[in-house]
Amino acid sequence: MSAAPPAPSPLYVAGLGCRRGCAADELQALLTDSLAERGLRAADLHALATLHGKLGEPGLVELAARLGLPLHGLTADELRACEARLSAPSAAARRATGCAGVAEAAALALAERLAGAPAELTIAKRRSAAATFALACAGHAPASEHP
């Protein structure tokens, strides 16, 4: 009798948004604290995602380097495709970026692209003074949590 193959591990993607000039320390604190609420660590992440126009933001670049994770940029069109699934669409975010939310939509879109399977929000949007964070998972994960 052969053992069943192990279940695939979940693919976690952190979505991040930030104001211009947001420090890597602020981003990292938001990410670390948010993950800890769910018993997760940065080492559980597969990638970071944000709006394509934020790829050159020094705080995001530094955070990705610190964590040793790839930072992926998604277009506003890719983020808008996830808008119906956002926990709290934002008119302010739409005015600033062209989409109703960056962190949640980026996390969902990239998790689905990388996994080739549907993703869900595991951690809905969290905010700090200048940043937003959300976590999406494709594959087996804890139940979704919304505010």
Side-chain angles (χ1 to χ4, degrees):
M1 178 170 169
S2 64
S9 60
L11 183 137
Y12 289 107
V13 172
L16 296 160
C18 66
R19 293 187 181 135
R20 187 168 309 173
C22 181
D25 288 343
E26 180 176 344
L27 289 158
Q28 188 166 9
L30 178 60
L31 179 144
T32 302
D33 293 348
S34 298
L35 290 174
E37 291 175 16
R38 300 295 295 221
L40 297 168
R41 301 170 301 123
D44 296 314
L45 298 175
H46 290 82
L48 305 178
T50 193
L51 181 66
H52 188 269
K54 294 284 185 182
L55 283 177
E57 190 61 43
L60 288 170
V61 172
E62 183 178 336
L63 177 64
R66 284 181 187 180
L67 300 178
L69 291 169
L71 175 62
H72 296 261
L74 294 107
T75 67
D77 286 342
E78 290 174 298
L79 299 188
R80 280 193 294 273
C82 295
E83 282 187 0
R85 298 160 58 197
L86 302 183
S87 66
S90 165
R94 183 179 300 287
R95 286 189 301 274
T97 66
C99 45
V102 172
E104 290 181 342
L108 287 165
L110 184 61
E112 290 178 349
R113 181 194 301 167
L114 294 177
E120 65 179 38
L121 287 175
T122 300
I123 300 175
K125 181 171 57 178
R126 299 285 190 268
R127 293 184 184 105
S128 66
T132 57
F133 164 89
L135 184 70
C137 180
H140 174 70
S144 293
E145 173 236 330
H146 295 280

